[in-house]
């Protein structure tokens, strides 16, 4: 791989902890691949031959249910990796991956990753940490679905888009509202109702932007 990696990606959970020499060895034949919005990266059931790190943009992981509908498993942004467990186990991808914005990913050959894992204990620790991040994300998602109302889920989603601690904030919705609804385990009409109910808490939605009067209040409401 010729082009240098973005500095932040080097600190991703998967690569963090590796020395520059070890990282260069792992990524020797890694490829940057660009996808346009709507393009498929792989399909559910395809052989798992590579691991991916998102360099920019957003990736949707989804699974077809027995009745043929789509269940959004995760939406991953910059620096997140995916497909590690399937590559290590040699099993097919249990989900489909689709670009939901123009994006670039770093594709790491699965055979190289497995060999590198056998040769480097430090990388094994990083891989376990990466898998834990995915697991923790699923646990958090289940907790939100079980314990929080739809309005609370939307409030938390909006609050997480900003680094502001208190006061007014303006955030851009990172992808379309249908995907936001699927990510939060809601129907699109339920998302619209949640946006409407958040107006009395100082949240106004205009196209792909959310204006928040007091983000500290929004976070508090999301946790109540």
């Amino acid at each position: 791989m010729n082009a240098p990696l973005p500095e932040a990606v080097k600190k991703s959970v998967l690569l963090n902890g590796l020395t520059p020499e070890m990282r260069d060895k792992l990524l020797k034949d890694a490829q940057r691949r660009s996808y346009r919005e709507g393009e498929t990266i792989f399909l559910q059931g395809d052989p798992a031959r590579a691991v991916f790190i998102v360099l920019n943009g957003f990736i949707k992981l989804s699974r077809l249910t027995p009745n043929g509908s789509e269940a959004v498993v995760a939406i991953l942004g910059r620096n997140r990796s995916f497909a590690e467990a399937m590559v290590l186990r040699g099993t097919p991808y249990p989900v489909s991956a689709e670009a939901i914005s123009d994006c670039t990913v770093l594709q790491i050959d699965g055979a190289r990753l497995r060999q590198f894992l056998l040769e480097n204990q430090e990388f094994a620790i990083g891989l376990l940490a990466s898998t834990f991040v995915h697991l923790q994300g699923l646990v958090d998602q289940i907790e939100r679905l079980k314990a929080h109302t739809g309005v609370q889920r939307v409030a938390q989603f909006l609050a997480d888009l900003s680094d502001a601690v208190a006061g007014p904030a303006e955030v851009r919705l990172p992808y379309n509202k249908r995907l936001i609804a699927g990510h939060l385990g809601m129907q699109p009409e339920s998302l619209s109702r949640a946006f409407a109910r958040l107006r009395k808490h100082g949240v106004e939605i205009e196209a792909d932007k959310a204006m928040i009067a007091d983000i500290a209040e929004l976070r508090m409401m999301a946790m109540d």
Side-chain angles (χ1 to χ4, degrees):
M1 202 187 77
N2 296 322
L5 278 176
E7 199 62 35
V9 174
K10 298 176 185 178
K11 299 176 182 176
S12 65
V13 176
L14 185 62
L15 302 180
N16 190 27
L18 295 180
T19 65
E21 293 76 18
M22 292 172 65
R23 188 172 58 240
D24 290 345
K25 183 178 179 181
L26 173 63
L27 302 180
K28 180 180 178 182
D29 298 320
Q31 297 180 330
R32 291 177 189 246
R33 295 192 177 276
S34 295
Y35 295 89
R36 302 300 298 270
E37 180 179 352
E39 280 195 271
T40 298
I41 298 171
F42 57 74
L43 291 172
Q44 179 178 333
D46 284 351
R49 296 195 175 101
V51 169
F52 303 84
I53 300 176
V54 183
L55 300 183
N56 59 62
F58 290 94
I59 304 294
K60 176 184 70 175
L61 303 183
S62 63
R63 184 175 174 85
L64 284 178
T65 64
N67 65 8
S69 61
E70 180 188 68
V72 178
V73 175
I75 293 179
L76 307 177
R78 187 168 180 256
N79 302 344
R80 291 292 302 276
S81 57
F82 57 100
E84 299 95 328
M86 288 72 79
V87 163
L88 291 179
R89 294 179 61 197
T91 57
Y93 294 118
V95 295
S96 295
E98 177 189 332
I100 56 172
S101 69
D102 291 352
C103 66
T104 305
V105 301
L106 187 67
Q107 181 175 312
I108 305 171
D109 178 70
R112 174 174 287 276
L113 183 137
R114 287 192 295 271
Q115 184 60 38
F116 192 80
L117 179 65
L118 293 173
E119 296 172 354
N120 299 276
Q121 293 183 347
E122 297 92 337
F123 181 64
I125 295 172
L127 197 60
L128 284 172
S130 178
T131 303
F132 176 77
V133 168
H134 294 310
L135 177 60
Q136 187 61 50
L138 290 173
V139 170
D140 291 344
Q141 186 176 354
I142 292 169
E143 180 183 358
R144 288 193 296 269
L145 290 173
K146 294 285 188 180
H148 294 169
T149 66
V151 174
Q152 285 178 307
R153 277 178 262 159
V154 175
Q156 188 66 62
F157 175 81
L158 294 175
D160 287 344
L161 295 176
S162 174
D163 294 327
V165 176
E170 180 178 309
V171 298
R172 181 179 176 275
L173 303 182
Y175 28 87
N176 68 51
K177 293 172 184 175
R178 180 182 63 82
L179 286 171
I180 293 173
H183 178 56
L184 298 177
M186 305 169 69
Q187 294 299 319
E189 55 270 23
S190 300
L191 178 67
S192 296
R193 288 194 294 269
F195 280 149
R197 290 174 184 169
L198 284 172
R199 288 194 195 111
K200 66 180 181 181
H201 296 281
V203 177
E204 293 290 339
I205 305 294
E206 293 183 6
D208 65 345
K209 292 181 180 178
M211 279 68 71
I212 303 165
D214 187 344
I215 199 159
E217 178 186 341
L218 189 67
R219 287 199 173 98
M220 189 177 299
M221 193 209 78
M223 299 302 294
D224 284 345

